[in-house]
Amino acid sequence: MNPTEPIAATSGVSRSTRAAAVLRVTSGNFLEQFDFFLFGFYATFISKIFFPSTSEFASLMLTFAVFGAGFLMRPLGAIFLGAYIDKVGRRMGLIVTLSIMASGTVLIACVPGYASIGLLAPALVLLGRLLQGFSAGAELGGVSVYLAEMATPGNRGFYTSWQSASQQVAIVMAAAIGYGLNEWLSAQQIGAWGWRVPFLIGCAIVPFLFMLRRSLQETAAFEARQHHPQAREIFSMLLANWRIVIGGMLLTAMTTTTFYLITVYTPTFGRSVLKLSTADSLMVTLLVAVSNFVWLPIGGAVSDRIGRKPLLLAVSVLAIFTAYPALSWLADAPSFARMLIVLLWFSFFFGMYNGAMVAALTEVMPAEVRVAGFSLAFSLATAVFGGFTPAVSTYLIQVTHDKAAPGYWLSFAALCGLCATLGLYRRRASSSASAASSA
């Protein structure tokens, strides 16, 4: 790997101006996670409306498969939209990704059920998920790189952590709306039409998010670059740096798997597997999102002080050896208190790991393909690991009859993160040493 071009930080910008820029750029992340969480939380209802079957397991698996299909589009979005953002700029590219994402959101919110339009209903839901996945493929990378390029010296981990922190705000809001609906409506009302209400709220805030995105300024780091590569150049550079992309995918596997396990899958796991109440599952999810919001910037700040590598290694090892025992303890005697304790523990190592990982991934990518490379690595991890975590967890529990089986999947993802950290930083050290000797 060739040493990457330093990420230049702008200077002379007030703290309030930077805070406003963080809010504007992360607004799209909010919409993405708001809808993704809702799809996972209302999976049971969506399965009955759009994927009716004589088997509840089959309906749920079809729903989670469609949920996961959106993640298969992420690598394509990362390549094509990521290349577009690296060519035309962060601001314009992020407006485009928000437009595509909003289209998918509106489609899912408004599609009639299977009973009304037959097979067209699940087909349109699938199309909506594919649009969301395509846009999300570059959205997260574009936001992360924007934050990295606007960060003040020595604080890149702290700034980039707000990419994920914004998603936690979305989960808190979605869980709070779901909790309110659960209190105000009957299960029959929620199943018939109430589940659409949060999706429609997401549609209603789209104009506000567009207003925020349109007021973004281009980053100084992008404007200072003398050469903005064409798409063909970007594709060639991605191919030349395929080892870094694969390493970045494995590095990200830990964070995507943990995130979708403790947020999107938690409500279904609590209701269908542990047989806890809907209110308990929602409250745990809400508190976990608050915990994530707290730990993410702490993880980023700690990595700014002690380095990315030590933190990534420590948390990976912690996850490998505690994921299954923690879930096994929960499965032995399911309760609200035990579920909260276990998921807050997972939230701790998610926040600390991800706080360091996002900054690390922006730093190992070559500058010319920083958005495309970051987005492709993250999208592959989400497609292979995180996005299918609900489906894999459901399958593992079904075939093993072990309610703690998702812990195996999480430990495996943590092992991938451990190996990737060692490999990427060894390669980076070798490249830096080679560059220093040749100079």
Side-chain angles (χ1 to χ4, degrees):
M1 180 180 70
N2 296 326
T4 61
E5 174 188 300
I7 303 176
T10 56
S11 59
V13 181
S14 69
R15 182 176 299 180
S16 61
T17 301
R18 290 184 184 278
V22 170
L23 173 62
R24 293 186 188 104
V25 75
T26 57
S27 59
N29 276 155
F30 175 93
L31 180 63
E32 172 198 346
Q33 201 51 55
F34 184 79
D35 286 335
F36 281 14
F37 170 79
L38 290 175
F39 199 99
F41 173 65
Y42 289 110
T44 304
F45 300 111
I46 291 173
S47 67
K48 295 175 181 177
I49 296 292
F50 297 105
F51 306 96
S53 172
T54 54
S55 166
E56 181 181 352
F57 170 72
S59 293
L60 201 56
M61 283 299 293
L62 281 172
T63 303
F64 281 137
V66 169
F67 179 77
F71 295 99
L72 296 179
M73 288 294 290
R74 285 194 174 209
L76 290 177
I79 293 172
F80 293 102
L81 291 178
Y84 177 76
I85 296 173
D86 277 324
K87 179 179 181 295
V88 306
R90 316 315 188 200
R91 176 185 178 275
M92 180 57 65
L94 288 173
I95 291 174
V96 171
T97 61
L98 180 60
S99 302
I100 299 173
M101 188 182 305
S103 300
T105 298
V106 172
L107 188 58
I108 292 174
C110 300
V111 173
Y114 182 90
S116 300
I117 58 174
L119 291 175
L120 187 58
L124 289 175
V125 170
L126 176 61
L127 176 60
R129 285 291 298 130
L130 295 179
L131 287 172
Q132 288 181 329
F134 185 73
S135 64
E139 166 74 20
L140 191 145
V143 169
S144 299
V145 169
Y146 188 99
L147 292 171
E149 292 181 346
M150 64 165 280
T152 54
N155 294 299
R156 189 176 302 135
F158 176 75
Y159 271 85
T160 56
S161 69
W162 291 102
Q163 172 267 121
S164 293
S166 68
Q167 297 179 341
Q168 312 315 309
V169 177
I171 293 172
V172 169
M173 181 175 172
I177 293 172
Y179 188 87
L181 289 175
N182 188 65
E183 293 294 315
W184 300 325
L185 302 177
S186 67
Q188 291 75 18
Q189 288 174 317
I190 293 175
W193 55 268
W195 66 270
R196 293 184 187 269
V197 173
F199 285 96
L200 293 173
I201 292 174
C203 295
I205 65 175
V206 165
F208 174 68
L209 299 181
F210 268 111
M211 181 182 69
L212 290 176
R213 275 283 168 90
R214 286 177 61 83
S215 62
L216 272 178
Q217 299 295 316
E218 187 56 76
T219 66
F222 181 83
E223 291 181 331
R225 196 169 301 140
Q226 295 182 350
H227 175 63
H228 298 152
Q230 298 296 314
R232 181 175 296 181
E233 296 177 77
I234 293 173
F235 298 154
S236 297
M237 284 187 278
L238 283 176
L239 186 61
N241 289 280
W242 67 269
R243 289 183 178 85
I244 304 176
V245 173
I246 297 300
M249 177 193 75
L250 296 176
L251 183 71
T252 312
M254 157 72 173
T255 195
T256 58
T257 300
T258 308
F259 179 73
Y260 285 98
L261 181 68
I262 66 177
T263 55
V264 173
Y265 183 59
T266 290
T268 300
F269 182 65
R271 287 196 313 267
S272 302
V273 179
L274 302 180
K275 305 304 180 183
L276 300 178
S277 70
T278 298
D280 283 350
S281 299
L282 268 175
M283 185 54 65
V284 168
T285 305
L286 192 153
L287 293 173
V288 164
V290 173
S291 174
N292 291 345
F293 184 83
V294 172
W295 287 118
L296 281 162
I298 292 176
V302 169
S303 75
D304 286 332
R305 301 298 176 265
I306 70 172
R308 323 288 183 214
K309 182 181 176 182
L311 187 56
L312 292 171
L313 292 177
V315 178
S316 296
V317 171
L318 201 61
I320 290 170
F321 290 105
T322 66
Y324 180 80
L327 281 176
S328 182
W329 177 72
L330 169 60
D332 285 343
S335 68
F336 172 82
R338 286 199 176 199
M339 187 176 184
L340 180 61
I341 291 170
V342 169
L343 292 184
L344 287 179
W345 173 241
F346 289 174
S347 168
F348 165 74
F349 60 65
F350 162 73
M352 297 299 288
Y353 185 94
N354 196 71
M357 186 279 300
V358 174
L361 195 54
T362 63
E363 291 165 349
V364 300
M365 287 296 166
E368 296 80 5
V369 291
R370 188 166 284 143
V371 174
F374 183 109
S375 299
L376 182 57
F378 209 107
S379 297
L380 288 171
T382 306
V384 176
F385 293 92
F388 282 96
T389 289
V392 170
S393 298
T394 301
Y395 176 77
L396 288 175
I397 293 171
Q398 178 75 10
V399 298
T400 65
H401 305 290
D402 181 359
K403 296 177 182 179
Y408 295 126
W409 180 241
L410 182 54
S411 292
F412 173 68
L415 180 61
C416 291
L418 178 69
C419 295
T421 300
L422 293 172
L424 284 172
Y425 278 92
R426 184 182 296 116
R427 176 180 288 272
R428 193 180 189 197
S430 300
S431 298
S432 298
S434 300
S437 61
S438 62

